[in-house]
Amino acid sequence: MPKTSFWLRRSTRCSFRSTFSVAAFRMGYYGGRLGRLVWTSPPTPGGGQRSAQIASTTRMVTAGWNPSLTVATTSWPPGTYLLKLVVPEGQSYVPITVRDDAGRSDLLVVHAVTTWQAYNSWGDHDLYDGPRADPALRSTKVSFDRPYAGSGADEFVPNELGVVATAERLGLDVSYATVIDVHQRPDLLATHRAITFLGHDEYWSLEMRNGVEAARDAGT
């Protein structure tokens, strides 16, 4: 993952025109501290972004925002990261994963980002509900072209961070990926002895399923 673009999202807790800064933390177990600071940005001006775009038939929500900041991650160690976006009024988070495509670790930990997106209510629609919690107004498709609602890490922190911290506290030989990586690169699975899918991972593609079964049959 050589670069990551960030968007200052509009929420009730941050002014979308504020100057903001970003602090990147590699998540794990650092003597009981669950993150290690690896990078900080200079103060960066945020800009006004357009409102959520909602498709008329599927109610799929997209942001279509212009990037406010682009960051090179090539010097960062592989792992799971939280990027803390800070403005005077508050803060929110962007979770990212930096892969190690050449790694041959014993354990591959896979983040369930399709499930995160299925439950993401940013723009007032997800795969379960629409405005006013009305299931009749739910989306039938969802997009990654939008920020996560709430803190930005409401699925990662309660459902997945504990396994990341435990694996690193135990000193396991571990690498990280997302289910999108498994979908696009199922060949990555067979280079590990075991795979752990985190949280309540419930949205798989056929390519994912076939890749996992092939890795299992090959000895993973």
Side-chain angles (χ1 to χ4, degrees), residues 6 9 14 34-35 55 86-87 112 145 148 168 189 206:
F6 304 100
R9 67 187 184 86
C14 70
L34 298 182
V86 180
V87 294
D145 182 17
Y148 292 111
E168 301 221 354
L189 301 175
L206 179 61

Side-chain angles (χ1 to χ4, degrees), residues 5 21-22 36 106 133 141 144 147 171 184 218:
S5 295
S21 61
V22 180
R36 177 173 68 88
D106 288 340
K141 291 184 179 180
F144 278 90
Q184 295 176 334

Side-chain angles (χ1 to χ4, degrees), residues 86-138:
V86 180
V87 294
E89 297 85 353
Q91 63 190 39
S92 61
Y93 298 91
V94 176
I96 67 169
T97 301
V98 177
R99 294 195 319 264
D100 179 11
D101 287 352
R104 297 293 185 271
S105 63
D106 288 340
L107 177 64
L108 179 67
V109 168
V110 182
H111 296 288
V113 296
T114 50
T115 299
W116 300 1
Q117 202 58 263
Y119 288 89
N120 179 15
S121 61
W122 188 89
D124 291 330
H125 296 269
D126 60 25
L127 288 184
Y128 298 90
D129 289 307
R132 300 174 299 282
D134 185 350
L137 298 177
R138 69 184 184 90

Side-chain angles (χ1 to χ4, degrees), residues 5 12 14 23 33 57 60 120-121 126 157 177 192 197 205 210:
S5 295
T12 57
C14 70
R33 300 172 68 91
T57 55
M60 182 177 73
N120 179 15
S121 61
D126 60 25
V157 171
H192 304 277
F197 293 89
S205 67
N210 289 343

Side-chain angles (χ1 to χ4, degrees), residues 2-216:
K3 290 186 177 180
T4 302
S5 295
F6 304 100
W7 297 263
L8 181 62
R9 67 187 184 86
R10 184 177 185 178
S11 77
T12 57
R13 294 194 303 137
C14 70
S15 169
F16 74 147
R17 293 187 182 276
S18 294
T19 296
F20 70 99
S21 61
V22 180
F25 294 87
R26 186 183 185 278
M27 309 308 291
Y29 189 85
Y30 299 95
R33 300 172 68 91
L34 298 182
R36 177 173 68 88
L37 181 66
V38 299
W39 176 84
T40 56
S41 76
T44 303
Q49 303 282 6
R50 67 181 185 176
S51 301
Q53 306 298 296
I54 303 173
S56 59
T57 55
T58 63
R59 292 177 289 277
M60 182 177 73
V61 180
T62 54
W65 292 350
N66 296 315
S68 299
L69 178 66
T70 300
V71 179
T73 61
T74 50
S75 63
W76 297 5
T80 297
Y81 288 79
L82 277 183
L83 289 94
K84 183 169 71 171
L85 280 64
V86 180
V87 294
E89 297 85 353
Q91 63 190 39
S92 61
Y93 298 91
V94 176
I96 67 169
T97 301
V98 177
R99 294 195 319 264
D100 179 11
D101 287 352
R104 297 293 185 271
S105 63
D106 288 340
L107 177 64
L108 179 67
V109 168
V110 182
H111 296 288
V113 296
T114 50
T115 299
W116 300 1
Q117 202 58 263
Y119 288 89
N120 179 15
S121 61
W122 188 89
D124 291 330
H125 296 269
D126 60 25
L127 288 184
Y128 298 90
D129 289 307
R132 300 174 299 282
D134 185 350
L137 298 177
R138 69 184 184 90
S139 296
T140 57
K141 291 184 179 180
V142 291
S143 171
F144 278 90
D145 182 17
R146 58 178 179 156
Y148 292 111
S151 74
D154 288 344
E155 291 288 334
F156 168 68
V157 171
N159 293 336
E160 305 191 11
L161 177 56
V163 176
V164 173
T166 299
E168 301 221 354
R169 177 176 61 84
L170 296 174
L172 302 183
D173 182 20
V174 60
S175 298
Y176 299 94
T178 73
V179 293
I180 297 298
D181 300 318
V182 175
H183 169 82
Q184 295 176 334
R185 292 282 310 278
D187 57 293
L188 294 173
L189 301 175
T191 62
H192 304 277
R193 293 180 60 191
I195 310 162
T196 296
F197 293 89
L198 298 185
H200 91 200
D201 184 9
E202 59 185 16
Y203 286 85
W204 283 38
S205 67
L206 179 61
E207 290 83 357
M208 288 176 60
R209 175 64 181 252
N210 289 343
V212 169
E213 290 188 350
R216 177 204 61 191

